[in-house]
Amino acid sequence: MSPNRRQAILGILAGAAASPLAGQVAKGQGLPDALMPTPSCGDNDEPTVAQTEGPYFTPNSPLKQDFTGDGATGKRLMIGGLVLDTACNPIPAAMIELWHADAAGSYDNKGSRYRGHSLSDEQGRWWFATIVPGLYPGRTRHYHLKVQRPRGEMLTTQLYFPGEPQNERDRIFDDRLLLRLEPAGGERYGLYSFVLA
Ligand SMILES: [Fe+2]
């Protein structure tokens, strides 16, 4: 995504975050509409960078967008955004898979705690209600994701948190994969839009 395009989207998101959104948040029905711009642009945007899958991916995750019942601890965070093509067109029915560590930094390698997948909606929007993952040795704080447009190639990547002290010491960290954290309605949102080739 070009810097100009990214700034345009982030500017819209930042302005929208001041809206009163508590009602929508309480329902847990995805990201508030006000945080979800409809993109339009004519330039060619760079596809989201791929990253290693890591050792903790397991296949056959459940269809699940709400992970908040998966554990008793952890700071809640809703993450979401858009799935776009390189011309900034939203991609509906893209598969988005999320897996991450629990609040203590452990992965559930036998079950499906903090593992699930969903499809982007007709406007290309994706979201998960989950927690901030805990740290584990050797890595900064991160989510793992796979994103695939219908009949398209699978993108495997990770998303990161701004301001994490470990970011600079993490060899995999890439600042093109930073979530943008936005407060709204007493909740916190981590926003990211994927661009698929
Ligand atoms: Fe990991």
Side-chain angles (χ1 to χ4, degrees):
M1 187 177 289
S2 71
N4 286 346
R5 179 65 198 147
R6 180 175 288 116
Q7 286 308 313
I9 289 179
L10 295 182
I12 293 166
L13 293 172
S19 311
L21 300 163
Q24 293 180 63
V25 173
K27 291 177 199 163
Q29 297 296 316
L31 289 176
D33 286 345
L35 289 176
M36 293 295 215
T38 300
S40 60
C41 71
D43 60 332
N44 288 325
D45 283 6
E46 292 298 313
T48 301
V49 293
Q51 293 217 307
T52 176
E53 176 180 279
Y56 301 121
F57 174 73
T58 57
N60 305 315
S61 72
L63 185 65
K64 183 174 71 175
Q65 278 177 286
D66 187 351
F67 293 8
T68 59
D70 287 1
T73 59
K75 202 181 291 180
R76 273 193 67 164
L77 185 70
M78 187 92 80
I79 61 171
L82 298 168
V83 184
L84 305 170
D85 66 19
T86 53
C88 291
N89 299 307
I91 301 176
M95 190 284 301
I96 304 105
E97 174 143 21
L98 172 68
W99 73 103
H100 63 82
D102 65 17
S106 297
Y107 286 84
D108 178 8
N109 294 312
K110 293 176 180 166
S112 56
R113 289 175 59 241
Y114 303 115
R115 296 178 186 275
H117 69 273
S118 65
L119 297 178
S120 61
D121 69 12
E122 59 283 351
Q123 292 161 280
R125 304 181 297 189
W126 69 276
W127 61 269
F128 291 90
T130 188
I131 61 163
V132 175
L135 289 166
Y136 60 90
R139 292 301 319 277
T140 191
R141 204 178 305 280
H142 62 281
Y143 292 112
H144 293 273
L145 298 106
K146 288 178 181 285
V147 187
Q148 183 182 34
R149 64 195 301 171
R151 297 173 301 282
E153 276 185 35
M154 184 80 78
L155 167 71
T156 300
T157 192
Q158 303 185 28
L159 292 178
Y160 298 95
F161 288 76
E164 284 288 330
Q166 295 291 338
N167 284 351
E168 290 174 22
R169 291 188 281 276
D170 187 302
R171 292 185 179 188
I172 304 173
F173 171 76
D174 188 319
D175 63 9
R176 292 171 293 181
L177 297 169
L178 281 169
L179 290 161
R180 181 177 177 87
L181 297 178
E182 296 283 357
E187 293 273 351
R188 283 204 312 160
Y189 297 86
L191 304 172
Y192 194 85
S193 290
F194 296 101
V195 178
L196 302 183

